[in-house]
Every structure is written in C-alpha cells, then in structure tokens.
Amino acid sequence: MLRQYELVERVLAYDPDADEAMLNRAYVYTVQKHGSQKRASGDPYFSHPVEVAGLMTELKLDQETIITALLHDTVEDTLATVDEVERLFGPEVARLVDGVTKLSKIETMSDTERAAENLRKFLLAMSEDLRVLLVKLADRLHNMRTLHYIKSEDKRRRIARETMEIYAPLAERVGMYEYMREMQLLAFEQLEPEAYATITGRLTAIRTDEGAQVDSIALAIKQTLAEAGLKVEVSGREKHPFSIWRKMAERHVSFEQITDIMAFRVLTDSAEDCYTALGLLHRTWQMIPGRFKDYISTPKMNGYKGLHTSLIYNNAMRVEVQIKTQEMHRINEFGLAAHWAYKQGALPDGQVGWVRDLVEILEASHDPDELLENTKMAIYQDRIFAFTPKGALHQLPKGATPIDFAFAVHTNLGAQAVGAKINGRHVPLRTPLGNGDVVEIIKSRSSEPQLSWLAFVVTGKARAAIRRAVRQKERAEIAEIGRKLYDEIAERLPSKIGKKALADAIKRLKYANEEELMVAIGSAKIDDRQVMEALVPGSAKNLPASEGWPSQQRAIAVRGLTPGMAFKLADCCHPVPGDRIVGLRRVGQGVTVHAIDCMSLANGIDADWIDLSWDARTDGAVGRIRAELYNRPGTLAEMAGVFAKNHANVVNLEMTQRENPFHTYEVDLEVRDLAHLTRIVSALRASDAVAQADRI
C-alpha cells in the first residue's frame, strides 16, 4: 500500500502546483473514517481507496480526482456525509464523490434491478463529469485484483460477470485498453476457470518453447524498417487469453487452429512513418486480404488511432502487426484518461456524442432489463463506418441497419424514416450496412417508429427510442378509447356534468390528471360503476348488474366465458398460453383474443376491451415464427429437425421471401405455451442453418 508521503510525491512529480496540504488531509480523513474496517483479504479497508488513488496518479490526473479516489467509499461505508466532504474539500470534490458513491444494496430488489439502478446513477453522474468514470473504473479494477479473497463463489462470479458485461466494455469504449484487458482477464479466470487454466497453460508453453521465435520475428521487422531509414521500436507478445478464448468460441475452433496468436507492435515518430512502415512490411511479407484497417485516417469512436494488418511470416505463420506513433500508443493505452490529463479535459472526437447517447437511452428505457440491454448494446465494440451523403462519418456496431444509422444521425430522423438508399441504391430498412457505405435516409413527417423495427435494429439508442415511441402511441390510443367510454358513461348519468365534477372525480379516484383517468378507463383498470360513482356519488346504486364495463374482479377469462359466448384466437398475433391477453368484443360478434402487445389492437377503438386470462387446462395453441434460412442444401431439413427435437407440430409453412443468400419462411407451430415457443426460437437462433428467427 502506498504511504502518505509516497502518494503526495507522485502527484507533485507531475503537478507541482497541487495543494499538498489538501492531499494530506484527504489521506488522513479516509484512514480515520474507515478506521478498523477490514477487506476480505484481511487488509485495512483504507488500503483500497489509497490504491485506487495510486492508479489515478499513474494516469497523471488532477488533484480533485486523486482526492475523490481517496474518499470515494467514505460516504457509503462510513459516517461521513457529502456535506462534510464539501465543507472540508470543496464543492467539486463533493460532487465527484457523490457521483462515484455506489447505491446501498436494496435487498428487496432483484439482481437485475440493483444492477440497473446502480448503472442509472452512474451514467447520470458520468454525463456531468467524466472523471467519475475514471475513478469508477479504477475502483472496479482494484476490486477485481482482490476478488479471489471473497469466499463466496456465487458472489465472485456475479462481480466478474458485471465486470465483463459493463465495466470492461466501458473501459474499451473510452480507450482505456490496459484497464479493459486486465478486467477481462481477471473476470475470465472466475467465469471460465477451466478454459482460463488451459489457455494460459498453452501460452506459457509457447512462451517457453517459442519465446526466441517471438524475439526473432520482432528483430526481423525492426531490421527491415531500419534498413529503410525508419527509427522504430518493435515488441512482440502472445494475444490476450480472453481474446483467444472468444475467437475460439466465435469460430468454433480449437486452440491449435488459432493461427494468429502472436501480435507485434511497431512504434514510430510520425504518422507519415506509420504509412511508410506499412508499405515496407507489405512488400516484404504477404499481407492477408481483408485484415487491414486504417484507424489513423478514420479513428475509432474512443479516439483510438493506428494501422492494423496481418502478415504471413516466411510463408508459414500468421502474425498481427499494429503500427502507431509513440503519441498514439500513449493515448490508445489510457484513452480518455490521457486526454484528460494532457489536454485539460479535452475529449476525443465522438466521446461527447457517445455519452449523450447513453443519457438518451437512460431517459427512454422503461424498466431495468431494458436499460441493461440497451446500455450493453451502446458500449460493446466491433464497429463499422458509414457516411451521410454530405460525408459526415458515423460509427455503428456490426450488423447495423439504415434505421440504426438514422437514429445515430438524429432521433427525429430515425422516427421519420420510411426508406433508405445505400450507395445510391434503394434497399429494405432491415439491410445490414457495410464498412464505407454512403447511407441516405428517406423520411416523411407523417411517419413514426414501427414496432417491427425492433426485430432488426442493433443499437441501444434506436431500440430505446422505438420502444419509447411505441409505448407513447399505445398510451395515446388507450387514452382515446378511455375518453370514448367516458363519454358513454357520462351520458347515462342523471344530469349533465361539468369540468368541476370531472376534477373532483379524478381526486376521488386518486389519479394524477385527466389523461391518467382516461388510460385507466381504456385499459379497464376501473369499471363504469366506479367512474359514475366518482362523478356523481350515488348514481350507480340502482345500475343493473349486467350493465357496464366488466370490472377487474369480474373480468371474463377464457376459462370462464359466459356460456354460449363464442371466441377465437386472433390470426394477427397468434397468442399462446403465457402471453398476457385481452379480448375485443363487437356488437353481434364473439370475442377475439389478442396478445396484449398486438399491433392490431389499435384498430379496436370501436370494440369493448375485456381482460382475459388463460384457462389452466388449456392444452397449447398455435404460435407463428419467422425464420431466415441460409440458401444452401439441408437448411430446411435442419429447421424441421429443431421443431421435431422440441416436440412441436408444424401446422403450416410458407416461404414469404426469396432474396439470396436467404430464404424467409413463416411457420405455424402447435406449442404448449410461451416458454415452449421461446425455447424453439432460441434453438433456431443457435442453429448454423438459421440467420435470424423471431416470433411474429
């Protein structure tokens, strides 16, 4: 653990004007506040914030960030308060400490809700000051370094999974690759201990047997470039164990089949030398087509710059080579932190926009699962580059579509999109974009986001915006239904009512405003008797029992429909047991049963809406799925095999689209319930024969 004078000397070494007295006070304060608290390792608890502060000094961050690192757990884990921190260390430190402070554990919340609420607070604080992110990443990194001291395997795995899914991608997203790699390695060790042991063992053997080979290849690269007059530094290493394991999983290959385990870094003095070195290497050794990437002319969103290429060394071995300047390498390893330390908070191009996107997702997400899903989409790597017709560059995840592109340009453009051109050619909105595509969005002011877009968009921003728009539309339509029912109820009252009676009714029924009441009426949360009684007390006393909207207590269930009342399952949404369902009843017709999220419900404005539920004896129903199969022999048989293995009977199968290299089928299946149908869709998605599968 760093001693007090060592920490202060580190800060003064790069910032002579730092307030030495305040740094000393912060060190003493955290030691006093944490007192006799111990970590799982048995070390004094204050050793953790001191080590986090030490990590911040390695990044040469300002004194406010160092003090924040020292105090980041005091408000949560001791009797310290934010007001006390502000009085002793100033409002800026207090704000940063409050931003980094983790939410106390709320035992009544699920793991997902706890994670989402923690992430929600973190993202809001990060949007106000990105130094919060830097301290949080260092906090998580040090906790991962001591994770093995925690006795509970379940707790270790939970922390490791959260690190792998949220914090490592966040570190990558802001260009802090050193932090990302170490977090991934430590989490990988906990989540896949057997794979970790196997791969690290193999790498150790390679390092022992072929260490001289790594050195000889590095020397050959350096000599080739030196002979052309270039001054360079060359180093070689084996690839990251987690990176190797992920490649093995993605390609379904063994360790022995991974050919490019060695990677080499070439550092030059200037960008011009980078391109000169690239040309020399390509002339000396054969390059592998499709493996060259120029991140100097087009940097990653996190500011990363460099040239990447893969070579076949001496006609036998694949090696990866990264070429950068010394400055690029420094920025690349510590990303956002390096920009903050050396450029007084200036951010790489794209960082401000990315944080803004995260805040938009935060505002649009409806529940914890949605927030986590959309945020993960926004922070994961693997990007492509696409351009507007005017040449503006946008980076998107692989697999992004014109709809993702439109929302990336502007939320309003995404909402109004009706068509797209890629490189001047009209294409469907679900078409995946490629690197370098020029994308033109065709829009209409009368257009609005479609629920069906969720089947193919891949960015968190697009998904969150679409869901928010669909929810708002559904709410408006339900309110409109409620208003129509309200007018009918008002006509049955003994006298006309005015605005005051309505305002009084809203208060009696404990709704916030008129719209809330109309939504409640439209969704049958309250019946007409309750509304009449709230408007004119006593008016519903003599109302016949059969008259009015069915109440929640008397909601007609499929298992208990009025004898003789006919019903059918809607062909538009094919509800199955496990779906939330609602019935539409029109005069002279039976009841049509729809899934609660069916788009056709918008056409039910002239019908009575009835809450329904499934009979416990219901023995299955017909569900419909859409599957895109690769156009090659045997894929249809493989899909049929998935159905057979999951004991699902095919009622109908129809090819709806033939567009090489895919054929699209719609299939009606007899299934037991929603879980059965979901398992089948998951099995299809896991099949190599199926490009995409979704429930309709």
Side-chain angles (χ1 to χ4, degrees), residues 448-452 470 473-474 477 572-573 594-604:
E448 55 190 16
Q450 302 299 309
L451 185 64
S452 60
V470 169
K473 180 182 178 183
E474 289 175 349
E477 290 171 347
C572 49
C573 56
H594 294 262
I596 196 69
D597 55 356
C598 176
M599 295 295 290
S600 298
L601 291 178
N603 300 323

Side-chain angles (χ1 to χ4, degrees), residues 425 428 431-432 628-633 635 655-665 691:
R425 183 171 61 89
T431 305
E628 285 186 5
L629 273 60
Y630 291 103
N631 181 22
R632 56 177 183 249
T635 54
M655 180 187 289
T656 59
Q657 190 173 4
R658 186 195 301 265
E659 185 177 3
N660 281 330
F662 304 109
H663 287 174
T664 303
Y665 294 86

Side-chain angles (χ1 to χ4, degrees), residues 122 130 133 167 171 179 223 241 379 400 470-471 490 528 546 566 629:
F122 174 49
L130 285 160
L133 171 59
Y167 290 99
Y179 277 38
Q223 287 177 341
I379 63 181
V470 169
R471 282 196 297 268
D528 54 356
S546 60
L629 273 60

Side-chain angles (χ1 to χ4, degrees), residues 493-504:
L493 291 170
S495 60
K496 288 187 177 182
I497 59 171
K499 291 184 178 180
K500 186 177 185 305
L502 176 57
D504 291 342

Side-chain angles (χ1 to χ4, degrees), residues 352-614:
V352 175
W354 170 67
V355 174
R356 191 182 302 117
D357 285 351
L358 281 183
V359 175
E360 277 193 41
I361 288 170
L362 185 68
E363 294 171 347
S365 296
H366 184 61
D367 55 41
D369 287 320
E370 197 175 296
L371 173 62
L372 288 173
E373 174 195 358
N374 294 338
T375 305
K376 288 174 188 176
M377 286 182 174
I379 63 181
Y380 281 152
Q381 54 267 51
D382 295 334
R383 319 293 287 181
I384 63 165
F385 302 90
F387 298 87
T388 68
K390 293 183 178 179
L393 173 67
H394 291 274
Q395 297 188 42
L396 298 161
K398 287 182 179 177
T401 65
I403 291 297
D404 294 297
F405 182 88
F407 278 106
V409 174
H410 197 282
T411 302
N412 290 340
L413 181 62
Q416 297 173 5
V418 293
K421 291 181 180 180
I422 297 179
N423 302 324
R425 183 171 61 89
H426 280 280
V427 296
L429 289 174
R430 63 187 302 128
T431 305
L433 301 178
N435 247 330
D437 281 345
V438 177
V439 185
E440 179 183 353
I441 302 299
I442 302 167
K443 65 177 183 177
S444 168
R445 292 187 180 278
S446 60
S447 179
E448 55 190 16
Q450 302 299 309
L451 185 64
S452 60
W453 290 355
L454 292 175
F456 55 81
V457 296
V458 301
T459 59
K461 182 178 181 181
R463 188 171 292 271
I466 293 165
R467 282 176 170 163
R468 177 171 57 182
V470 169
R471 282 196 297 268
Q472 289 174 343
K473 180 182 178 183
E474 289 175 349
R475 180 180 175 84
E477 290 171 347
I478 291 172
E480 188 176 348
I481 293 169
R483 194 167 296 282
K484 180 179 178 182
L485 292 171
Y486 170 81
D487 290 341
E488 293 176 357
I489 292 169
E491 288 177 3
R492 301 208 303 273
L493 291 170
S495 60
K496 288 187 177 182
I497 59 171
K499 291 184 178 180
K500 186 177 185 305
L502 176 57
D504 291 342
I506 291 170
K507 289 181 181 178
R508 291 188 185 108
L509 294 169
K510 298 181 179 179
Y511 287 104
N513 50 48
E514 184 176 331
E515 183 187 16
E516 292 284 345
L517 174 62
M518 299 309 163
V519 169
I521 297 172
S523 57
K525 290 181 179 177
I526 56 174
D527 60 30
D528 54 356
R529 289 171 173 269
Q530 292 171 285
V531 177
M532 293 174 72
E533 197 65 26
L535 288 167
V536 181
S539 61
K541 286 183 179 178
N542 300 319
L543 192 68
S546 60
E547 188 175 340
W549 186 262
S551 70
Q552 285 290 94
Q553 292 73 26
R554 299 171 49 247
I556 299 171
V558 173
R559 62 176 179 269
L561 287 169
T562 302
M565 180 175 289
F567 76 93
K568 67 175 183 176
L569 301 182
D571 292 329
C572 49
C573 56
H574 290 271
V576 298
D579 285 325
R580 289 179 56 204
I581 52 176
V582 67
L584 293 187
R585 180 176 61 187
R586 292 180 171 85
V587 177
Q589 300 180 20
V591 175
T592 304
V593 180
H594 294 262
I596 196 69
D597 55 356
C598 176
M599 295 295 290
S600 298
L601 291 178
N603 300 323
I605 198 167
D606 60 340
D608 287 342
W609 284 43
I610 310 169
D611 283 338
L612 299 177
S613 60
W614 293 100

Side-chain angles (χ1 to χ4, degrees), residues 153-390:
E153 181 182 352
D154 288 343
K155 185 175 181 180
R156 291 199 309 270
R157 291 178 63 84
R158 176 179 61 79
I159 294 171
R161 188 174 297 109
E162 185 180 62
T163 300
M164 189 71 85
E165 293 181 351
I166 294 177
Y167 290 99
L170 273 171
E172 187 277 340
R173 202 65 168 77
V174 296
M176 298 179 70
Y177 286 94
E178 283 292 321
Y179 277 38
M180 177 202 75
R181 284 190 286 264
E182 188 173 352
M183 284 183 189
Q184 286 178 338
L185 182 65
L186 294 168
F188 178 41
E189 182 179 8
Q190 296 294 331
L191 297 173
E192 301 288 344
E194 292 183 9
Y196 172 85
T198 300
I199 293 175
T200 52
R202 297 284 186 87
L203 290 175
T204 300
I206 289 174
R207 197 176 301 119
T208 302
D209 299 338
E210 302 179 10
Q213 188 174 28
V214 173
D215 292 339
S216 66
I217 294 174
L219 182 60
I221 292 173
K222 185 171 184 176
Q223 287 177 341
T224 298
L225 300 178
E227 288 171 2
L230 289 180
K231 181 183 176 183
V232 297
E233 292 179 17
V234 181
S235 58
R237 58 174 175 81
E238 303 86 14
K239 284 198 171 177
H240 193 256
F242 174 70
S243 173
I244 293 173
W245 181 81
R246 184 167 56 186
K247 189 171 291 186
M248 289 167 59
E250 289 174 351
R251 298 182 184 177
H252 305 288
V253 296
S254 66
F255 183 90
E256 288 75 15
Q257 291 172 292
I258 301 291
T259 56
D260 52 348
I261 288 177
M262 294 185 190
F264 295 86
R265 179 186 298 127
V266 177
L267 300 182
T268 72
D269 290 334
S270 66
E272 291 75 12
D273 287 350
C274 289
Y275 288 103
T276 302
L278 177 74
L280 289 167
L281 293 178
H282 281 186
R283 287 201 299 271
T284 306
W285 294 286
Q286 180 184 349
M287 65 91 67
I288 300 172
R291 298 298 302 274
F292 166 62
K293 294 175 182 175
D294 185 347
Y295 293 122
I296 294 179
S297 66
T298 311
K300 292 185 179 182
M301 286 188 73
N302 58 23
Y304 179 95
K305 292 183 178 182
L307 302 175
H308 289 198
T309 189
S310 291
L311 308 172
I312 300 179
Y313 180 77
N314 287 351
N315 299 319
M317 181 184 298
R318 287 186 174 200
V319 296
E320 180 182 297
V321 182
Q322 299 177 2
I323 309 171
K324 315 164 189 175
T325 67
Q326 296 279 1
E327 176 71 4
M328 289 175 193
H329 176 57
R330 182 183 61 76
I331 297 294
N332 291 346
E333 290 303 287
F334 298 108
L336 176 61
H339 277 271
W340 191 277
Y342 287 89
K343 298 186 179 180
Q344 291 75 50
L347 299 180
D349 293 340
Q351 283 293 356
V352 175
W354 170 67
V355 174
R356 191 182 302 117
D357 285 351
L358 281 183
V359 175
E360 277 193 41
I361 288 170
L362 185 68
E363 294 171 347
S365 296
H366 184 61
D367 55 41
D369 287 320
E370 197 175 296
L371 173 62
L372 288 173
E373 174 195 358
N374 294 338
T375 305
K376 288 174 188 176
M377 286 182 174
I379 63 181
Y380 281 152
Q381 54 267 51
D382 295 334
R383 319 293 287 181
I384 63 165
F385 302 90
F387 298 87
T388 68
K390 293 183 178 179

